[in-house]
C-alpha cells in the first residue's frame, strides 16, 4: 500500500487539455473518489496514476517515489474497469491466480490467496466456472478479486459497477465499501454515480474541465460545496442570488434571515430540496411538475421571476399537482453560501 501524489499534473492530447495542472494526494489506505461530468478528465487522471499515460507536465509519486516514467506493469496497481475484461479461456480461479503467477508467486500460495479473496467476495463456489457463464455482478466481483490478488499498492476502479441493476449496485456498494475499508487498500474510484461516491469514499475530488473544483469528505462536498459548479453537480440544488441588508438577504421574491453576512454583498445560496418547507412562507411558486423518486418526492416549481426551484415534499401528506400555487419557506440555518 502507498500514498499517491499528483504534483501539478497536466495531460494534453493534441488540442485537448484533459488534465490541467492537477495536484492531489490520496492518503495511504484512503478511498478517493473522482466525480465529474463526461469528458472532464476522470479516466485520464486514473490512467496517469496507473501509468498508461505519461503527463505532459508534472509528476506522479507513490510514497514519495517518483513513478512518472515507470511503466504500468512495474507499478503494482490493481485495475478494475467497466468492461471486466476477464480471460475467457480460463476458469474464475485461473483469472484470479494469473496476476500472482506473473509476479512469481508459488502455486500453493496463489491458490490460497485466490480462494480467500473469492470467499471474501462471496463467490467461493464459482471458482471452477467459466467467466462467460457468470452474471454481470459475479463478473464484477471476479474482476475485483483478480485486481486484489496481486496485493496492489494502489487499487484503481473505473466505473466498476456500470451496467449493473440498481439493487445489485446498492448491495455491491455496501460490500465493496466494507471490503476496501477492511483491506485498507489505497483506492482511486472513478464514477459518474455520485451516490456511489458519496456513500463509499473517504474523500471525493469533483472535476470539471480538467481541473479539480473541490476535494473533501462526502459531507463537506454535499453540505458545503465550494462553488456553484460543485453545488449544482452534487445532488439537486437551487441556486438563489440576493443582496445582504441588515441581517437579511433580499431576493426578488422577498427576504430571508441571514445573520452574520457582510452588509451589501451579493451572495448565492445553494438550497437543497429538503432545505425548503412547503406550505407557508414568503416565496410564492407555481408547481410545474411532481417527480416521484421512490424514497423522496420533488416538486419542480417556478417563482414569479422565472427562477426554477426544487423542493422536497412530504411523502405521506403532500397533495400537490402541476399548476398548483404554493408557498415556500427556507430554513434560515440550512442553505450554504457558495458565492459572495
Ligand atoms: P467519461 O465520464 O465520459 O468517461 P472522463 O471524465 O473520464 O469522461 P476522459 O476520458 O478523461 O474524461 O477525457 C477527457 C478529455 O480528453 C475528453 O475531451 C477526451 O475526448 C480527451 N481524451 C481522452 N483520451 C484521449 C486520447 N487518447 N486522445 C485524444 N483525446 C483524448
Amino acid at each position: 500500500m502507498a500514498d499517491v501524489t499528483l504534483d501539478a499534473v497536466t495531460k494534453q492530447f493534441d488540442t485537448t487539455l484533459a488534465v490541467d495542472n492537477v495536484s492531489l494526494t490520496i492518503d495511504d489506505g484512503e478511498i478517493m473518489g473522482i466525480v465529474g461530468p463526461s469528458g472532464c478528465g476522470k479516466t485520464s487522471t486514473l490512467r496517469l496514476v496507473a501509468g498508461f499515460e505519461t503527463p505532459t507536465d508534472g509528476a506522479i509519486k507513490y510514497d514519495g517515489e517518483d513513478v512518472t516514467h515507470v511503466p504500468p506493469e512495474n507499478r503494482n496497481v490493481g485495475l478494475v474497469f467497466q468492461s471486466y475484461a476477464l480471460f475467457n479461456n480460463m476458469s474464475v480461479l485461473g483469472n484470479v491466480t494469473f496476476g500472482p503467477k506473473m509476479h512469481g508467486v508459488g502455486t500453493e500460495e496463489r491458490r490460497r490467496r485466490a480462494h480467500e479473496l473469492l470467499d471474501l467476495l462471496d463467490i467461493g463456489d464459482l471458482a471452477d466456472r467459466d467467466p462467460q457463464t457468470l452474471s454481470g455482478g459475479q463478473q464484477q466481483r471476479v474482476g475485483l478479486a483478480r485486481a486484489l490478488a496481486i496485493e496492489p499498492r494502489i487499487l484503481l476502479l473505473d466505473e466498476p459497477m456500470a451496467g449493473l441493476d440498481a439493487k445489485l449496485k446498492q448491495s455491491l456498494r455496501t460490500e465493496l465499501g466494507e471490503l476496501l475499508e477492511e483491506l485498507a487498500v489505497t483506492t482511486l474510484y472513478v464514477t459518474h454515480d455520485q451516490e456511489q461516491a458519496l456513500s463509499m469514499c473517504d474523500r471525493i475530488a469533483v472535476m470539471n474541465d480538467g481541473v479539480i473544483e473541490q476535494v473533501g469528505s462526502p459531507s463537506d462536498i454535499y453540505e458545503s460545496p465550494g462553488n456553484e459548479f460543485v453545488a449544482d453537480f452534487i445532488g439537486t440544488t437551487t441556486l438563489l442570488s440576493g443582496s445582504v441588508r441588515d441581517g437579511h438577504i433580499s431576493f426578488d421574491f422577498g427576504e430571508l434571515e441571514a445573520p452574520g453576512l457582510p452588509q451589501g454583498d451579493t451572495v448565492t445560496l445553494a438550497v437543497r430540496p429538503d432545505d425548503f418547507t412547503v406550505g407557508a412562507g414568503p416565496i410564492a411558486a407555481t408547481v410545474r411538475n411532481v417527480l416521484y423518486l421512490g424514497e423522496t418526492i420533488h416538486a419542480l416549481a417556478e417563482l414569479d421571476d422565472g427562477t426554477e426551484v426544487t423542493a422536497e415534499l412530504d411523502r405521506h401528506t403532500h397533495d400537490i399537482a402541476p399548476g398548483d400555487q404554493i408557498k415556500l419557506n427556507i430554513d434560515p440555518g440550512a442553505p450554504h453560501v457558495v458565492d459572495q
Side-chain angles (χ1 to χ4, degrees):
M1 274 163 293
D3 61 50
V4 178
T5 303
L6 289 90
D7 192 359
V9 169
T10 290
K11 181 66 187 178
Q12 174 108 29
F13 295 106
D14 305 320
T15 54
T16 306
L17 190 55
V19 178
D20 184 4
N21 195 26
V22 162
S23 291
L24 179 69
T25 295
I26 309 160
D27 294 331
D28 194 7
E30 184 177 41
I31 307 172
M32 173 72 79
I34 302 188
V35 300
S38 186
C40 71
K42 302 182 294 294
T43 296
S44 300
T45 303
L46 180 133
R47 289 174 59 81
L48 286 159
V49 172
F52 295 122
E53 303 287 354
T54 307
T56 314
D57 214 347
I60 291 171
K61 295 173 185 162
Y62 293 180
D63 275 338
E65 173 202 348
D66 192 331
V67 295
T68 314
H69 299 286
V70 175
E73 60 272 21
N74 295 341
R75 293 195 189 190
N76 199 26
V77 291
L79 296 161
V80 183
F81 288 115
Q82 177 178 349
S83 52
Y84 316 104
L86 298 175
F87 309 125
N88 284 326
N89 55 341
M90 293 178 195
S91 67
V92 164
L93 189 69
N95 268 271
V96 181
T97 53
F98 182 79
K101 187 177 175 183
M102 292 296 108
H103 283 76
V105 178
T107 314
E108 279 307 306
E109 170 58 15
R110 61 181 191 251
R111 288 177 73 88
R112 188 198 60 75
R113 219 188 265 179
H115 281 297
E116 190 179 292
L117 278 167
L118 292 173
D119 286 343
L120 203 60
L121 286 160
D122 214 15
I123 47 170
D125 54 335
L126 303 180
D128 298 324
R129 290 271 290 273
D130 172 351
Q132 280 169 301
T133 67
L134 304 181
S135 72
Q138 291 167 334
Q139 291 190 34
Q140 191 264 3
R141 291 180 213 205
V142 177
L144 193 63
R146 190 178 60 174
L148 290 168
I150 59 166
E151 297 184 340
R153 294 177 85 182
I154 299 147
L155 181 65
L156 302 177
L157 308 172
D158 192 350
E159 299 282 5
M161 297 192 207
L164 303 182
D165 67 63
K167 190 76 194 160
L168 186 57
K169 261 189 205 171
Q170 198 178 17
S171 63
L172 281 178
R173 184 167 79 197
T174 313
E175 285 173 26
L176 182 57
E178 284 171 6
L179 182 72
L180 295 177
E181 286 299 333
E182 196 178 314
L183 297 173
V185 192
T186 309
T187 303
L188 188 59
Y189 189 111
V190 164
T191 180
H192 276 102
D193 187 332
Q194 40 171 294
E195 262 185 42
Q196 265 177 38
L198 288 168
S199 65
M200 282 185 49
C201 298
D202 297 315
R203 285 191 300 156
I204 297 172
V206 183
M207 275 190 95
N208 177 30
D209 219 3
V211 302
I212 292 181
E213 298 274 356
Q214 187 174 0
V215 186
S217 68
S219 66
D220 282 347
I221 298 277
Y222 188 83
E223 304 290 346
S224 313
N227 57 36
E228 289 188 21
F229 176 84
V230 176
D232 203 31
F233 186 76
I234 300 288
T236 303
T237 314
T238 300
L239 295 169
L240 298 174
S241 291
S243 53
V244 181
R245 239 178 268 144
D246 303 327
H248 287 78
I249 308 179
S250 170
F251 299 93
D252 286 348
F253 55 77
E255 289 197 333
L256 290 174
E257 280 177 47
L261 289 174
Q263 181 87 353
D265 274 1
T266 299
V267 295
T268 301
L269 282 188
V271 190
R272 299 294 186 187
D274 58 349
D275 295 338
F276 286 106
T277 40
V278 181
I283 312 171
T286 307
V287 177
R288 294 292 174 220
N289 210 341
V290 176
L291 284 187
Y292 285 86
L293 302 171
E295 282 164 22
T296 54
I297 302 176
H298 285 174
L300 309 186
E302 197 177 308
L303 308 187
D304 292 344
D305 67 356
T307 305
E308 289 179 356
V309 304
T310 303
E312 187 170 315
L313 299 176
D314 187 317
R315 277 181 62 229
H316 302 291
T317 59
H318 92 89
D319 180 19
I320 282 171
D324 285 357
Q325 303 286 320
I326 54 172
K327 294 282 189 186
L328 298 167
N329 206 348
I330 300 176
D331 176 353
H336 171 74
V337 175
V338 286
D339 203 11
Q340 62 179 305

